[in-house]
Amino acid sequence: ALQPLHTLLHTSYRPTSFSPHNQAKLVIYPAQLDFILQRTPKKPTDKTDKFLKMAATTAEAVAEKAADTLGDPVKLLVPDGEITVFVQGDTSRPAVLTYHDIGLDHVSSFQTLLNHPSAAALMEKMCFVHLTAPGQAPGAERLPADYKYPTLDELAGHIDLVLKHFGFKSYVGIGIGAGANIFLRHALANPKAVNGLMLLAANSSKPGWVEWGYLKTTAWQLRSSGMTVGIENMFLQYWLPQVTIDDPNKGDLLASLRSHLRGLNPHNLSLFIDSANSRSEILTKLSEVKCDVLLIAGHDAVHCDDLENMNEVLPKTKTSYLKIYGIGDLGQEEEPGKVLKAFMLFLQGLGLGAGITLALNEATAKPDPLAKSPKPNSAI
């Protein structure tokens, strides 16, 4: 039987001191969800016609609003099949690419951040292109049984095709979890294409044996049994600190994450998990990263130690490390204002933030302790 997530997170599996060769870290990516039951609809009657028409109208309005909010989908052919990216903004503007973690997509990862009132000026200045890993969008069709899921290196290779398709010379990336790892691989493979990276919940080491076992078991359960509430709860424990889960004011956040998880295809998710579980170590290579990097860690996050290790290896003059107290791995959901402000100041440091930071300061209702560009080991 699987032990509770936080029981394992505080065992001795994590090294107490940093060593590039001692990477038996526990980083859990639990991923098993509840079945979505599909019932045969009853034949409409005269009494229900009006209700059904109203529901259809509402569904159309929701879909239209989602399209405006999430960007326009664009399907691109890649060597291992097809991927879908979502574009927000004019492609003649500077590009910001995003990549999600396992169990998430661009909506559940970035909608709260980019819909923040202070993000309006940012959205007018930049073009956001959201990459979605194959088969990971809610409602996606089941991938074929013989489909060979791309490795993280191959997923990083998709970025070059996205840049070529839209004519982008370079980009700034925002990555979470596996998405952060993918952006780091691309920064190592094609350094001229990357202006900067903001990384949350990042990990650059191979999975330790505990993590490997959890991921392997979770992927098997997803394929054999589908989705369960228990694994859904483990996802929440992986993403959020217990104080957030127990906070009655965070009910909307928890409900939103649960709703997203229940819309994923469990078979497809298991393939992405297997890919993340087979990742190679790149921690010792991070000293070769050429672009500026902003690492954001939640003080209570699963990946906090991993980010600190990365901060030790990445070039000192290129790296900023920001720790936010009281949150977990989903900083962009728990504290979107602070993460957004840090990102805008990061863009300013890259020469891309003209007119953006001022708008953010004007839109911030209360004073924020972060009054200047993040520096290594800063905390708010």
Side-chain angles (χ1 to χ4, degrees):
L2 297 180
Q3 299 182 45
L5 180 62
H6 285 293
T7 299
L8 284 174
L9 293 184
H10 294 90
T11 63
S12 59
Y13 293 115
R14 285 185 179 274
T16 56
S17 60
F18 168 71
S19 170
H21 304 290
N22 185 15
Q23 291 303 312
K25 290 184 174 295
L26 175 63
V27 182
I28 303 299
Y29 292 88
Q32 187 173 351
L33 322 169
D34 269 345
F35 273 121
I36 301 175
L37 300 178
Q38 296 182 348
R39 300 181 179 180
T40 304
K42 297 180 180 180
K43 184 177 180 180
T45 63
D46 291 340
K47 294 181 179 180
T48 60
D49 280 343
K50 183 176 181 180
F51 170 78
L52 292 174
K53 289 179 181 179
M54 291 174 60
T57 302
T58 302
E60 289 179 3
V62 170
E64 182 178 354
K65 175 63 176 176
D68 291 340
T69 304
L70 309 179
D72 300 318
V74 177
K75 295 186 181 298
L76 302 177
L77 292 177
V78 294
D80 36 58
E82 184 181 77
I83 61 171
T84 302
V85 300
F86 295 82
V87 183
Q88 286 183 275
D90 190 335
T91 55
S92 65
R93 303 170 186 166
V96 176
L97 272 56
T98 72
Y99 217 121
H100 58 88
D101 194 7
I102 53 177
L104 299 171
D105 68 350
H106 74 289
V107 181
S108 53
S109 297
F110 304 109
Q111 187 178 40
T112 299
L113 183 70
L114 299 183
N115 282 348
H116 192 277
S118 301
L122 175 65
M123 304 305 293
E124 293 176 357
K125 298 283 186 178
M126 313 297 287
C127 176
F128 281 78
V129 179
H130 307 288
L131 283 73
T132 303
Q136 302 309 305
E141 295 182 1
R142 178 189 171 102
L143 293 169
D146 59 349
Y147 179 76
K148 184 179 181 300
Y149 207 87
T151 65
L152 296 193
D153 283 311
E154 290 169 337
L155 291 173
H158 294 171
I159 298 174
D160 288 322
L161 300 176
V162 172
L163 297 177
K164 181 178 180 180
H165 177 84
F166 293 106
F168 296 131
K169 299 295 184 182
S170 60
Y171 70 94
V172 176
I174 306 178
I176 302 175
N181 190 289
I182 289 168
F183 275 136
L184 283 170
R185 291 174 188 274
H186 188 249
L188 291 168
N190 190 0
K192 293 183 179 180
V194 189
N195 290 326
L197 297 174
M198 182 175 79
L199 307 177
L200 301 92
N203 186 292
S204 58
S205 61
K206 293 179 64 175
W209 69 269
V210 176
E211 177 193 357
W212 182 89
Y214 258 92
L215 294 183
K216 196 72 174 178
T217 301
T218 298
W220 176 80
Q221 289 177 332
L222 282 166
R223 285 189 287 267
S224 62
S225 304
M227 305 176 181
T228 68
V229 174
I231 301 299
E232 180 183 319
N233 290 338
M234 289 177 66
F235 255 118
L236 296 181
Q237 290 181 326
Y238 164 67
W239 288 327
L240 304 168
Q242 194 62 42
V243 64
T244 299
I245 295 175
D246 295 337
D247 187 348
N249 296 321
K250 300 294 185 180
D252 289 345
L253 172 60
L254 301 183
S256 176
L257 291 171
R258 289 184 184 276
S259 176
H260 166 74
L261 290 171
R262 292 166 183 168
L264 294 176
N265 183 292
H267 171 77
N268 297 354
L269 180 56
S270 74
L271 297 181
F272 193 18
I273 291 173
D274 282 340
S275 179
N277 203 22
S278 302
R279 68 183 183 269
S280 59
E281 180 267 334
I282 59 172
L283 178 64
T284 54
K285 301 177 182 178
L286 295 186
S287 60
E288 303 170 17
V289 171
K290 305 299 183 184
C291 67
D292 285 20
V293 178
L294 170 59
L295 300 173
I296 296 184
H299 182 263
D300 301 318
V302 171
H303 293 87
C304 187
D305 290 348
D306 302 299
L307 283 159
E308 290 178 358
N309 291 346
M310 292 169 59
N311 186 49
E312 292 293 324
V313 179
L314 285 161
K316 301 296 183 185
T317 59
K318 294 283 189 178
T319 306
S320 298
Y321 177 56
L322 177 65
K323 181 183 289 187
I324 303 177
Y325 287 95
I327 67 169
D329 279 329
L330 294 185
Q332 78 286 358
E333 288 286 336
E334 297 179 80
E335 291 286 356
K338 292 180 179 179
V339 173
L340 184 63
K341 187 166 187 177
F343 181 61
M344 290 183 175
L345 293 170
F346 181 61
L347 289 178
Q348 186 181 48
L350 297 175
L352 298 171
I356 294 179
T357 303
L358 177 61
L360 176 65
N361 290 336
E362 292 174 347
T364 303
K366 59 181 180 179
D368 195 318
L370 184 63
K372 55 184 178 180
S373 297
K375 294 183 178 180
N377 303 320
S378 60
I380 57 176

XYZ file of all heavy atoms in Angstrom, residues 7-45:
319
model
N 4.222 11.815 4.555
C 4.998 10.929 5.417
C 6.349 10.642 4.787
O 7.383 10.632 5.445
C 4.235 9.613 5.639
O 3.000 9.900 6.268
C 5.043 8.666 6.519
N 6.348 10.423 3.483
C 7.586 10.118 2.777
C 8.432 11.348 2.531
O 9.655 11.273 2.514
C 7.270 9.454 1.437
C 6.839 7.980 1.523
C 6.409 7.506 0.154
C 7.962 7.117 2.060
N 7.796 12.486 2.357
C 8.549 13.684 2.015
C 9.493 14.118 3.127
O 10.445 14.836 2.883
C 7.597 14.833 1.688
C 6.767 14.644 0.421
C 5.938 15.894 0.178
C 7.645 14.355 -0.768
N 9.234 13.698 4.339
C 10.060 14.139 5.449
C 10.902 13.005 6.026
O 11.298 13.015 7.176
C 9.179 14.748 6.554
C 8.501 15.997 6.123
N 7.250 15.993 5.532
C 8.904 17.292 6.123
C 6.905 17.233 5.233
N 7.877 18.033 5.568
N 11.195 11.999 5.194
C 12.088 10.924 5.602
C 13.508 11.277 5.190
O 13.783 12.347 4.672
C 11.675 9.603 4.929
O 11.822 9.753 3.522
C 10.244 9.250 5.266
N 14.403 10.354 5.399
C 15.819 10.619 5.144
C 16.208 10.387 3.691
O 17.386 10.298 3.378
C 16.674 9.714 6.036
O 16.387 8.349 5.773
N 15.264 10.268 2.799
C 15.614 10.043 1.405
C 16.261 11.265 0.771
O 16.958 11.155 -0.212
C 14.365 9.650 0.591
C 13.819 8.311 0.983
C 12.568 8.201 1.571
C 14.562 7.156 0.788
C 12.062 6.979 1.937
C 14.060 5.927 1.150
C 12.805 5.841 1.721
O 12.312 4.631 2.078
N 16.016 12.440 1.307
C 16.623 13.644 0.755
C 18.010 13.834 1.366
O 18.158 13.855 2.585
C 15.784 14.894 1.054
C 14.541 14.995 0.206
C 13.864 16.325 0.498
N 12.670 16.479 -0.301
C 12.671 16.958 -1.522
N 13.795 17.318 -2.085
N 11.560 17.079 -2.187
N 19.040 14.021 0.554
C 20.363 14.312 1.104
C 20.338 15.624 1.868
O 19.659 16.567 1.476
C 21.256 14.426 -0.141
C 20.489 13.740 -1.226
C 19.042 13.911 -0.894
N 21.057 15.700 2.981
C 21.082 16.925 3.770
C 22.067 17.928 3.219
O 22.010 19.098 3.538
C 21.452 16.604 5.232
O 22.708 15.910 5.238
C 20.389 15.717 5.858
N 23.012 17.494 2.405
C 23.968 18.407 1.800
C 23.985 18.206 0.306
O 23.671 17.127 -0.188
C 25.378 18.169 2.371
O 25.803 16.853 2.113
N 24.345 19.245 -0.413
C 24.309 19.191 -1.871
C 25.500 18.427 -2.435
O 26.624 18.620 -2.017
C 24.303 20.600 -2.444
C 24.562 20.611 -3.923
C 23.601 20.147 -4.793
C 25.773 21.050 -4.429
C 23.830 20.149 -6.149
C 26.011 21.044 -5.779
C 25.034 20.598 -6.650
N 25.210 17.576 -3.369
C 26.260 16.890 -4.124
C 25.692 16.518 -5.470
O 24.661 15.865 -5.542
C 26.721 15.625 -3.408
O 27.572 14.877 -4.267
N 26.318 16.937 -6.563
C 25.790 16.600 -7.886
C 25.701 15.104 -8.122
O 24.966 14.660 -8.984
C 26.811 17.253 -8.837
C 27.456 18.314 -8.034
C 27.502 17.780 -6.641
N 26.445 14.315 -7.338
C 26.440 12.875 -7.538
C 25.572 12.151 -6.527
O 25.529 10.930 -6.507
C 27.879 12.347 -7.445
C 28.807 13.017 -8.410
N 28.726 12.798 -9.764
C 29.798 13.923 -8.224
C 29.654 13.521 -10.384
N 30.306 14.212 -9.474
N 24.902 12.897 -5.674
C 24.047 12.287 -4.664
C 22.633 12.798 -4.862
O 22.184 13.700 -4.196
C 24.552 12.655 -3.259
C 23.770 11.932 -2.181
O 23.068 10.975 -2.461
N 23.904 12.401 -0.946
N 21.949 12.224 -5.834
C 20.666 12.780 -6.245
C 19.501 11.830 -5.995
O 18.575 11.762 -6.784
C 20.733 13.154 -7.738
C 21.652 14.320 -8.018
C 21.269 15.535 -7.228
O 20.115 15.923 -7.193
N 22.232 16.150 -6.564
N 19.552 11.059 -4.924
C 18.449 10.165 -4.589
C 17.350 10.949 -3.894
O 17.013 10.710 -2.747
C 18.941 9.032 -3.696
N 16.805 11.944 -4.591
C 15.796 12.824 -4.000
C 14.405 12.256 -4.199
O 14.124 11.581 -5.172
C 15.885 14.214 -4.631
C 17.132 14.963 -4.218
C 17.083 16.345 -4.812
C 18.240 17.159 -4.296
N 18.162 17.385 -2.866
N 13.548 12.569 -3.279
C 12.166 12.157 -3.390
C 11.365 13.294 -3.999
O 11.194 14.328 -3.396
C 11.605 11.808 -2.003
C 10.109 11.480 -1.982
C 9.852 10.241 -2.815
C 9.629 11.275 -0.572
N 10.913 13.091 -5.221
C 10.056 14.069 -5.878
C 8.872 13.293 -6.421
O 8.989 12.564 -7.391
C 10.783 14.786 -7.019
C 9.869 15.832 -7.634
C 12.048 15.425 -6.501
N 7.742 13.389 -5.759
C 6.605 12.556 -6.098
C 5.753 13.221 -7.174
O 5.413 14.386 -7.084
C 5.731 12.310 -4.851
C 6.586 11.679 -3.738
C 4.569 11.395 -5.184
C 7.177 10.359 -4.084
N 5.412 12.462 -8.214
C 4.457 12.914 -9.215
C 3.251 11.957 -9.192
O 3.060 11.176 -10.109
C 5.063 12.875 -10.618
C 6.148 13.853 -10.882
C 7.463 13.551 -10.601
C 5.871 15.086 -11.469
C 8.481 14.432 -10.874
C 6.887 15.971 -11.745
C 8.189 15.641 -11.446
O 9.188 16.525 -11.742
N 2.481 11.958 -8.110
C 1.350 11.034 -8.073
C 0.337 11.425 -9.120
O 0.097 12.583 -9.355
C 0.792 11.212 -6.664
C 1.169 12.595 -6.302
C 2.494 12.848 -6.958
N -0.280 10.447 -9.748
C -1.200 10.797 -10.816
C -2.181 9.677 -11.088
O -1.948 8.851 -11.940
C -0.428 11.123 -12.069
N -3.261 9.602 -10.300
C -4.333 8.699 -10.658
C -5.628 9.340 -10.238
O -5.728 9.832 -9.128
C -4.157 7.320 -10.007
C -5.186 6.346 -10.539
C -4.924 4.936 -10.053
O -3.896 4.681 -9.474
N -5.849 4.061 -10.288
N -6.620 9.309 -11.106
C -7.770 10.171 -10.959
C -9.071 9.364 -10.977
O -9.057 8.152 -11.168
C -7.768 11.217 -12.079
C -6.377 11.746 -12.432
C -6.427 12.549 -13.716
C -5.827 12.583 -11.305
N -10.190 10.029 -10.802
C -11.502 9.374 -10.830
C -12.027 9.207 -12.247
O -11.786 10.035 -13.101
C -12.540 10.224 -10.082
C -12.620 9.844 -8.634
O -12.117 8.788 -8.287
O -13.189 10.627 -7.864
N -12.770 8.109 -12.473
C -13.417 7.944 -13.764
C -14.461 9.034 -13.972
O -15.109 9.474 -13.030
C -14.137 6.596 -13.844
C -13.282 5.469 -14.309
C -13.092 4.357 -13.514
C -12.666 5.532 -15.537
C -12.301 3.324 -13.937
C -11.870 4.490 -15.969
C -11.691 3.383 -15.166
N -14.588 9.463 -15.215
C -15.701 10.340 -15.577
C -16.794 9.450 -16.143
O -16.616 8.836 -17.189
C -15.291 11.378 -16.627
C -14.150 12.226 -16.068
C -16.458 12.250 -17.030
C -13.605 13.188 -17.074
N -17.897 9.316 -15.396
C -18.969 8.426 -15.833
C -19.775 9.080 -16.936
O -20.197 10.215 -16.831
C -19.882 8.099 -14.642
C -19.189 7.413 -13.460
C -20.191 7.195 -12.332
C -18.597 6.092 -13.892
N -19.966 8.337 -18.004
C -20.760 8.843 -19.125
C -22.085 8.083 -19.168
O -22.108 6.877 -19.407
C -20.003 8.660 -20.438
C -18.719 9.460 -20.494
C -18.010 9.295 -21.820
O -18.368 8.423 -22.600
N -17.016 10.118 -22.063
N -23.141 8.770 -18.907
C -24.462 8.148 -18.901
C -25.202 8.456 -20.191
O -25.061 9.529 -20.758
C -25.283 8.651 -17.715
C -24.622 8.344 -16.366
C -25.474 8.842 -15.223
N -24.856 8.533 -13.943
C -25.375 8.859 -12.772
N -26.522 9.526 -12.725
N -24.760 8.545 -11.665
N -26.019 7.517 -20.637
C -26.809 7.729 -21.846
C -27.866 8.777 -21.582
O -28.669 8.634 -20.656
C -27.490 6.422 -22.275
O -26.478 5.433 -22.442
C -28.267 6.619 -23.572
N -27.887 9.866 -22.336
C -28.857 10.923 -22.066
C -30.277 10.484 -22.392
O -30.509 9.716 -23.328
C -28.406 12.055 -23.013
C -27.664 11.365 -24.104
C -27.004 10.180 -23.474
N -31.210 10.956 -21.589
C -32.606 10.671 -21.850
C -33.121 11.504 -23.011
O -32.630 12.579 -23.276
C -33.441 10.962 -20.600
C -33.075 10.079 -19.411
C -33.932 10.424 -18.213
C -33.585 9.549 -17.025
N -34.423 9.882 -15.846
N -34.143 10.986 -23.679
C -34.738 11.714 -24.795
C -35.444 12.961 -24.274
O -36.234 12.899 -23.331
C -35.736 10.819 -25.525
C -36.334 11.476 -26.753
C -37.264 10.508 -27.464
C -37.864 11.156 -28.702
N -38.767 10.229 -29.417
N -35.144 14.121 -24.861
C -35.764 15.359 -24.369
C -37.275 15.326 -24.502
O -37.833 14.740 -25.438
C -35.156 16.444 -25.272
C -33.925 15.818 -25.840
C -34.198 14.370 -25.949
N -37.964 15.936 -23.562
C -39.406 16.075 -23.616
C -39.738 17.544 -23.798
O -38.866 18.412 -23.740
C -40.049 15.573 -22.312
O -39.599 16.398 -21.228
C -39.647 14.119 -22.032
